[in-house]
Amino acid sequence: MRFRPQCASWNTVPRQQGAELCRKAARCFDPFALPSGADMAAWCAGLLRGSGLAGPLYPGHVPTSPLQKALLAAGSAFAALRDPYRHDMVAVLGETTGSLALQRLRDKMRHDAEGYQILRERPRIRLSTLDVAGLRGLPDGTFGREYMRFLEDNRVSPDTRMPAKFVDDEELAYVIQRYREVHDLMHTLLGMPTNMLGEVVVKWFEAVQTGLPMCALGAVFGPIRLKAWKLQVLTTELIPWAVQSGLRANCILNIYYERRWEQMVESLREEIGILPPPSIRL
């Protein structure tokens, strides 16, 4: 059910009025009209006003109460189901529902030498931290070259990953940021494109690996939009492979990928425990 009291569209509200409107979020909440882009910052600021919560724990952090998190989770889930390419809503859903899973992932990183080093050094995967020319110059089949090929073929950029806002722990905020930034690396290692079928397969792998409810939601409901023949391929071949790979693989956050660019993709898959992808045209 959608509730539309007399609230203006998010795209037409001046930014200075955003906070005032957001104080009425519980009454004017429309999960299919959540803001995006620059308007999201004003909307988040409105959620905090009058809440009595402590100040931010890291740059960009928006402290929220359990009730506010529940509202955000419900709205972002509806919006993401309606439009799976609303990456901002997928990000909000992951942050507001993933606290326990993030704690488990953090613990796995703390108990692994390479994972612990990542937690200490906090590497970021962005165009500003990548040697793009150097990666393009690597031989075919190397992890770095195939990652660049994936970015170019699918016209995506690591800079589009949203920073964490609603995770109420600075270290856990980095964990979910790291997960987001290695997502495209998972596409590369799994050999999956960014179309709906490829995204669903990656979500099945990530759901098994991370336990994030957002991944499970995408894995279960993503196939609704697929054609019959793609759904058959997904259920008979791709999901069993993705689940088996996710179960047998080492924690994907315990790999310092920035030091593996020159490693062959097949070798890195074998090291992590990812099975070779099925020979299916996607």
Side-chain angles (χ1 to χ4, degrees):
M1 180 179 296
R2 300 176 65 180
F3 297 91
R4 279 191 180 272
Q6 294 180 351
C7 292
S9 168
W10 282 106
N11 295 325
T12 61
V13 174
R15 185 175 299 178
Q16 62 267 25
Q17 298 178 17
E20 178 64 25
L21 287 176
C22 289
R23 283 203 298 269
K24 304 175 183 178
R27 296 191 298 274
C28 302
F29 197 75
D30 178 356
F32 295 145
L34 289 172
S36 60
D39 289 334
M40 176 64 85
W43 189 68
C44 294
L47 283 175
L48 184 56
R49 180 171 295 186
S51 66
L53 297 173
L57 301 175
Y58 51 86
H61 176 227
V62 180
T64 46
S65 69
L67 175 59
Q68 289 168 331
K69 280 187 171 61
L71 287 171
L72 286 166
S76 58
F78 278 115
L81 287 172
R82 189 188 190 196
D83 181 2
Y85 292 101
R86 280 293 301 270
H87 300 300
D88 54 340
M89 292 297 95
V90 174
V92 172
L93 181 62
E95 294 178 26
T96 54
T97 62
S99 178
L100 294 178
L102 291 175
Q103 291 176 46
R104 289 192 292 267
L105 288 171
R106 189 258 313 273
D107 291 344
K108 288 182 180 180
M109 296 178 75
R110 284 180 173 178
H111 290 89
D112 181 88
E114 198 164 345
Y116 184 63
Q117 185 176 14
I118 293 169
L119 279 178
R120 287 201 339 262
E121 298 180 3
R122 306 283 179 90
R124 298 292 304 276
I125 300 176
R126 304 183 63 83
L127 289 178
S128 60
T129 65
L130 295 174
D131 179 6
V132 174
L135 294 179
R136 284 175 177 161
L138 290 174
D140 290 344
T142 57
F143 181 48
R145 181 66 189 93
E146 297 310 314
Y147 172 55
M148 291 307 302
R149 196 189 312 279
F150 167 83
L151 295 180
E152 293 163 358
D153 290 349
N154 293 280
R155 299 180 181 180
V156 295
S157 167
D159 290 353
T160 60
R161 300 301 169 187
M162 290 185 62
K165 289 185 176 70
F166 301 109
V167 179
D168 297 329
D169 181 280
E170 186 267 344
E171 191 171 44
L172 295 182
Y174 175 75
V175 172
I176 199 166
Q177 191 69 44
R178 182 66 173 177
Y179 156 74
R180 289 174 183 165
E181 293 181 1
V182 304
H183 175 77
D184 289 338
L185 303 182
M186 294 305 101
H187 274 276
T188 303
L189 288 171
L190 295 170
M192 292 293 123
T194 57
N195 58 24
M196 184 55 62
L197 181 57
E199 289 290 353
V200 169
V201 174
V202 174
K203 278 293 180 284
W204 273 98
F205 174 82
E206 291 178 341
V208 174
Q209 267 281 308
T210 68
L212 286 167
M214 172 268 297
C215 294
L217 187 70
V220 172
F221 289 99
I224 292 175
R225 298 172 179 268
L226 295 177
K227 295 180 179 179
W229 72 268
K230 289 186 176 182
L231 188 60
Q232 181 178 6
V233 171
L234 177 70
T235 55
T236 59
E237 299 191 49
L238 294 176
I239 288 179
W241 164 74
V243 170
Q244 187 178 0
S245 290
L247 289 172
R248 74 192 301 267
N250 300 322
C251 178
I252 57 175
L253 297 186
N254 286 340
I255 305 297
Y256 215 132
Y257 297 100
E258 294 88 338
R259 300 178 178 176
R260 310 299 183 91
W261 298 131
E262 297 182 4
Q263 189 171 349
M264 300 300 290
V265 170
E266 291 82 359
S267 172
L268 185 54
R269 281 180 187 147
E270 184 177 353
E271 178 184 341
I272 297 174
I274 298 174
L275 297 170
S279 300
I280 301 173
R281 182 178 178 81
L282 302 178

